[in-house]
């Protein structure tokens, strides 16, 4: 039997995201799902619902869908200690696939949406297998996670708010066609959806640069970490040869180098010293001051902050995401174009 999303679920989900305003310059995005703080001896990440009441987080990115075409032709999800059939035999998997049925996550997604957050599914990651074709895969994403219909629905009738692309290696996958397909599906839906990307800070990004230039992307969660010369740790240095290079991204934004002229730029940071390359890490206070400076200096393109990941953010003192959000709120403003 195919799983059709009830109209009431669509309506409720649409109402639930009214609290999110993409035009604001103080939005906070956090990746959840990989439990990376455990590598730093921090407490394990909690189920998604544990973070729904935190008003400092506006966007939660579920990481990751990391295999595009797995057993039976269906994608494969990985959320570390949450809904992992490889470590917990009680987690159900749809017949003939490796696609997990995460009903509890579906409940949590709807709860977070009711609190005004948007929930995006991040595709990719460092170990991604980008092994499908854009046409098949975009249809699967729409059917499995959005307003399409499928006998398999990993989150039951919960509808995610969009897709994030975190492609960190070259592949034959047609990213631009996939993005264009998804944007067409979004237009056919009954609610607002978002397409986002997580490029690395060297501009233009080697893996996602063409996507940003040729397809409509709503938000870019720029990884100002793990790249050396343009990391957050270089903020405040002269522009060349080493400097945190938000100014390059802003210049491209002003020169209409992106397909979406209103794409919002986010400053991404690791939330712990071992969450990425240790040399990329900056303290909560350093990041807060950096955000206030960039928010003031680049008022048109600046959309907010992103951090990797939830387990590190909640394991730091002060909470990395909360500290960043509070720093941006003093200069917070929203426009009406979005």
């Amino acid at each position: 039997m195919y799983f059709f999303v009830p109209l009431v679920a669509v309506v409720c989900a649409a109402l639930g995201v009214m609290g999110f305003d993409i035009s604001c310059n103080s939005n906070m995005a956090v990746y959840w799902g990989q439990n990376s703080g455990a590598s730093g001896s921090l407490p394990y990440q909690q189920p998604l619902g544990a973070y729904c009441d935190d008003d400092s987080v506006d966007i939660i990115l579920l990481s990751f869908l990391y295999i595009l075409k797995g057993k039976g032709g269906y994608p494969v999800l990985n959320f570390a200690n949450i809904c992992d059939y490889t470590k917990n035999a009680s987690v159900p998997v749809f017949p003939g696939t490796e696609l997990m049925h995460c009903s509890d996550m579906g409940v949590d997604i709807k709860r977070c949406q009711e609190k005004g957050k948007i929930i995006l599914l991040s595709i990719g990651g460092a170990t991604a297998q980008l092994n499908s074709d854009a046409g098949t895969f975009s249809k699967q994403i729409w059917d499995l996670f959005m307003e399409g219909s499928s006998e398999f629905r990993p989150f039951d009738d919960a509808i995610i708010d969009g897709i994030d692309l975190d492609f960190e290696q070259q592949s034959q996958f047609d990213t631009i066609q996939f993005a264009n397909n998804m944007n067409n599906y979004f237009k056919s839906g009954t609610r607002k959806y978002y397409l986002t990307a997580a490029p690395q800070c060297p501009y233009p990004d080697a893996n996602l640069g063409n996507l940003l230039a040729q397809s409509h992307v709503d938000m870019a969660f720029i990884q100002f970490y793990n790249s050396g010369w343009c990391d957050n740790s270089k903020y405040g240095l002269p522009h060349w040869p080493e400097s945190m290079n938000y100014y390059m991204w802003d210049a491209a934004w002003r020169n209409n180098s992106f397909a979406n002229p209103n794409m919002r730029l986010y400053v991404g940071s690791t939330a712990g010293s071992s969450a990425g390359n240790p040399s990329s890490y900056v303290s909560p206070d350093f990041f807060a001051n950096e955000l206030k400076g960039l928010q003031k200096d680049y008022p048109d393109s600046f959309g907010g902050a992103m951090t990797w990941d939830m387990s590190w953010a909640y394991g730091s003192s002060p909470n990395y995401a909360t500290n960043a959000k509070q720093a941006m709120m003093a200069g917070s403003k929203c426009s009406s174009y979005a």
Side-chain angles (χ1 to χ4, degrees), residues 178-191:
F178 172 76
N180 292 342
N181 289 352
M182 292 312 305
N183 280 321
N184 285 332
Y185 282 123
F186 293 171
K187 292 175 184 176
S188 73
T190 61
R191 53 172 295 162

Side-chain angles (χ1 to χ4, degrees), residues 85-281:
Y85 79 96
T86 66
K87 296 182 176 63
N88 185 349
S90 68
V91 174
V93 177
F94 291 109
T97 78
E98 294 177 290
L99 181 63
M100 298 181 296
H101 189 183
C102 306
S103 293
D104 289 346
M105 283 185 62
V107 174
D108 288 346
I109 287 169
K110 290 189 286 186
R111 180 167 177 265
C112 282
Q113 290 170 332
E114 289 169 358
K115 296 291 184 177
K117 302 183 189 327
I118 61 169
I119 307 297
L120 309 179
L121 177 62
S122 187
I123 300 172
T127 62
Q129 297 180 31
L130 309 179
N131 57 346
S132 186
D133 67 273
T136 299
F137 186 60
S138 56
K139 180 68 163 59
Q140 282 185 323
I141 293 298
W142 181 249
D143 289 343
L144 293 170
F145 302 104
M146 296 181 181
E147 290 182 56
S149 62
S150 173
E151 59 182 324
F152 304 149
R153 292 279 300 190
F155 306 138
D156 293 331
D157 64 348
I159 302 172
I160 60 172
D161 298 297
I163 295 297
D164 173 63
L165 300 179
D166 181 15
F167 292 175
E168 301 185 14
Q169 66 266 12
Q170 296 285 336
S171 77
Q172 297 300 311
F173 183 72
D174 193 338
T175 310
I176 295 171
Q177 185 61 56
F178 172 76
N180 292 342
N181 289 352
M182 292 312 305
N183 280 321
N184 285 332
Y185 282 123
F186 293 171
K187 292 175 184 176
S188 73
T190 61
R191 53 172 295 162
K192 173 66 178 176
Y193 292 100
Y194 301 92
L195 181 68
T196 69
Q200 295 172 327
C201 58
Y203 180 82
D205 178 70
N207 302 309
L208 294 169
N210 288 337
L211 168 72
L212 300 179
Q214 299 181 45
S215 298
H216 183 102
V217 175
D218 295 292
M219 293 171 273
F221 303 121
I222 307 167
Q223 300 180 47
F224 289 101
Y225 50 87
N226 298 340
S227 294
W229 68 270
C230 56
D231 289 348
N232 287 309
S233 59
K234 304 301 192 298
Y235 177 70
L237 296 180
H239 281 184
W240 190 261
E242 289 191 349
S243 174
M244 187 273 183
N245 69 332
Y246 187 96
Y247 67 94
M248 288 185 174
W249 288 87
D250 178 78
W253 189 91
R254 292 181 178 279
N255 290 331
N256 293 317
S257 298
F258 303 122
N260 175 15
N262 290 324
M263 183 177 72
R264 309 303 287 163
L265 306 182
Y266 284 63
V267 179
S269 177
T270 53
S273 59
S274 298
N277 188 323
S279 66
S280 300
Y281 173 73

Side-chain angles (χ1 to χ4, degrees), residues 3 10 24 50 66 81 83 131 139 159 167 181 183 197-198 203 232 261 286 288 304 315 319 321 325 330 333-334:
F3 199 115
V10 176
C24 296
Y66 77 111
N81 63 311
C83 194
N131 57 346
K139 180 68 163 59
I159 302 172
F167 292 175
N181 289 352
N183 280 321
Y203 180 82
N232 287 309
F286 185 103
N319 181 306
K325 178 71 171 183
K333 63 178 181 179
C334 306

